[in-house]
Amino acid sequence: MNKYIQVRDGEELDREIIKAFILSNFENVKDDKFEVKQFPSGKSNLTYFIKMGEWEGVLRRPPNGPLPPKAHDMNREHDLLKKLHTVFPLAPKPYILCNDKSVLNCPFYIMERIKGHTIDDELIIQKNMTKEQKRHISTLMVDAIVELHNVDYKQVGLEKLGFPKGFLERRLNNWISRFNKYKTEDIGVLDNVTKWLKNNIPKEQKATLIHNDFKLNNALVDDSLKHLNGIVDWEMTTIGDPLFDLGSTLSYWVEEDDSELLKESLEITTAQPGFITREEFLQMYVSKTGRDISSFLFYLVLAYFKIAVTQQQIYYRYKSGTTNDPRFARFKQSVRNLIIYSDRLIQNKRI
């Protein structure tokens, strides 16, 4: 089932205010036993499980501290899910958006709680998962990302969600700028990586809706391990090159024989017998979409660089004291590892 922890210090909600908000905005909710827990895995927006009697919901709000421009936009995330859920039911259904800062001092929204299991090492042990089940879950992930990329985003009114023209170049320049802004130390091969990326931007694929963080621990599987119940964490969703989305997915798809630079920096759930390889995932995707993957090395390097930038921003918040989550201390070394690995990938020219 979904995992929850006690709310971390400094990230508490005002329980009485939230309780009053729910009672005044939701019908048939009884003023009964009230629980607030926190989802432990998120490293960006703060996500809480709320239960009152039989009623359950999930609350999302921005993190504390200084935030990048246009990031953590609760209105955007809520509106996206409201439209997307109607055609892609793996996306959670949002219930209500609140922009009244007198409630939580920030915008937030509440959505449905999707029941299911986070796919991680603990689940694999609990379920004594077989190689065949791991492979099946791998194919479910392929099918889900293909289904998402097939959504007609214009038909559901999401054409203003992003600006696909010049997507790759714009994103690359933005991430280089962000890395420099939040840099805490010099990494020798960083210039090699950013110069290669600038010089190898491919012709972009026809734009689709992209999740932008489509990875195993953002998927929820049912008890039988045969079906996905949901995909979560849609805050970075936009309109853009679908191979960038695929590159992001495969950057997190660590294999058994991968470098320690990756294994020390990313989740390694897929680095065990049963899960398909990055190459198998890529070829399954191609067989279902027919997309040209001749420039896929660029997308994968860009994805590792994106992770490094994201981790660097979070580490900057940790170092400056705006978050005290101990998980973030390791990002100093993780960022360095990812940049070095990206440079090696460029030199070796293989995924």
Side-chain angles (χ1 to χ4, degrees):
M1 63 193 323
N2 304 118
K3 298 180 179 67
Y4 317 113
I5 59 173
Q6 296 299 320
V7 178
R8 290 185 287 261
D9 291 343
E11 297 177 352
E12 299 88 352
L13 300 177
D14 188 315
R15 293 172 58 91
E16 291 306 314
I17 287 179
I18 291 299
K19 182 177 181 180
F21 180 85
I22 291 171
L23 289 171
S24 62
N25 285 280
F26 290 87
E27 297 180 357
N28 302 319
V29 178
K30 295 181 179 180
D31 186 357
D32 204 341
K33 183 180 179 182
F34 184 59
E35 299 178 50
V36 178
K37 299 289 180 68
Q38 192 167 17
F39 288 88
S41 59
K43 299 180 179 67
S44 184
N45 286 336
L46 304 180
T47 310
Y48 304 84
F49 169 66
I50 300 175
K51 183 177 175 66
M52 188 181 300
E54 296 299 314
W55 182 90
E56 297 178 339
V58 173
L59 185 148
R60 294 264 287 177
R61 53 149 293 176
N64 299 319
L67 304 175
K70 299 182 181 180
H72 311 287
D73 186 336
M74 297 294 100
N75 286 264
R76 181 182 186 275
E77 193 172 327
H78 170 271
D79 293 346
L80 158 69
L81 292 176
K82 185 176 181 180
K83 295 173 181 176
L84 180 59
H85 175 78
T86 62
V87 293
F88 187 78
L90 290 176
K93 179 181 180 180
Y95 291 150
I96 189 170
L97 171 71
C98 179
N99 283 308
D100 182 354
K101 293 186 178 181
S102 69
V103 181
L104 282 187
N105 200 34
C106 66
F108 68 93
Y109 73 94
I110 298 174
M111 60 184 167
E112 69 171 322
R113 177 236 172 160
I114 297 178
K115 295 183 179 181
H117 300 275
T118 302
I119 306 166
D120 57 16
D121 292 330
E122 184 178 343
L123 178 67
I124 289 170
I125 294 170
Q126 287 177 350
K127 292 285 191 178
N128 193 23
M129 202 178 291
T130 65
K131 291 181 181 179
E132 291 74 20
Q133 287 172 320
K134 294 173 195 173
R135 183 173 183 85
H136 179 68
I137 287 172
S138 301
T139 62
L140 291 178
M141 293 295 288
V142 177
D143 291 343
I145 196 170
V146 169
E147 182 183 352
L148 176 64
H149 293 171
N150 285 338
V151 168
D152 187 337
Y153 64 86
K154 294 180 181 178
Q155 186 177 23
V156 293
L158 290 171
E159 64 273 11
K160 295 182 179 179
L161 189 67
F163 303 93
K165 186 176 181 180
F167 173 83
L168 293 174
E169 183 175 8
R170 187 171 61 251
R171 285 301 175 97
L172 174 59
N173 290 335
N174 178 265
W175 287 323
I176 292 172
S177 176
R178 284 194 189 185
F179 194 95
N180 290 332
K181 180 178 180 180
Y182 296 102
K183 186 167 68 173
T184 53
E185 65 171 349
D186 291 327
I187 302 175
V189 297
L190 176 62
D191 285 347
N192 298 343
V193 173
T194 55
K195 286 178 182 177
W196 184 87
L197 286 168
K198 286 182 176 180
N199 292 332
N200 288 275
I201 299 174
K203 180 181 178 181
E204 296 183 14
Q205 303 275 323
K206 182 180 179 181
T208 69
L209 192 68
I210 62 175
H211 182 282
N212 240 337
D213 201 22
F214 194 96
K215 55 185 180 179
L216 203 61
N217 64 358
N218 276 336
L220 297 173
V221 69
D222 72 352
D223 283 333
S224 72
L225 305 180
K226 293 181 179 179
H227 308 284
L228 293 184
N229 282 352
I231 303 291
V232 298
D233 283 355
W234 293 85
E235 65 182 280
M236 296 189 293
T237 303
T238 189
I239 308 298
D241 189 326
L243 291 190
F244 173 74
D245 210 18
L246 184 62
S248 179
T249 298
L250 294 188
S251 67
Y252 287 106
W253 205 272
V254 181
E255 298 179 18
E256 278 189 281
D257 59 352
D258 274 337
S259 165
E260 293 302 313
L261 292 171
L262 280 189
K263 291 181 178 179
E264 292 172 0
S265 306
L266 301 171
E267 300 290 338
I268 59 171
T269 299
T270 54
Q272 55 185 287
F275 287 103
I276 62 176
T277 65
R278 287 188 292 273
E279 181 65 29
E280 286 178 299
F281 197 119
L282 185 60
Q283 293 304 327
M284 287 180 183
Y285 178 88
V286 170
S287 70
K288 294 173 183 291
T289 65
R291 293 194 170 95
D292 176 15
I293 58 167
S294 58
S295 299
F296 194 73
L297 178 62
F298 170 88
Y299 293 95
L300 193 58
V301 173
L302 182 61
Y304 287 126
F305 180 64
K306 170 196 168 187
I307 298 171
V309 173
T310 303
Q311 291 186 355
Q312 182 61 38
Q313 288 179 189
I314 296 172
Y315 178 72
Y316 181 89
R317 283 170 43 215
Y318 173 82
K319 188 175 181 181
S320 64
T322 56
T323 178
N324 58 5
D325 189 330
R327 295 176 301 160
F328 300 156
R330 69 178 183 86
F331 282 173
K332 177 180 180 179
Q333 185 60 47
S334 177
V335 169
R336 174 176 287 274
N337 288 351
L338 290 168
I339 296 299
I340 293 172
Y341 183 79
S342 296
D343 184 59
R344 292 183 183 178
L345 204 60
I346 292 167
Q347 305 307 320
N348 295 333
K349 296 181 172 59
R350 59 180 294 273
I351 68 167

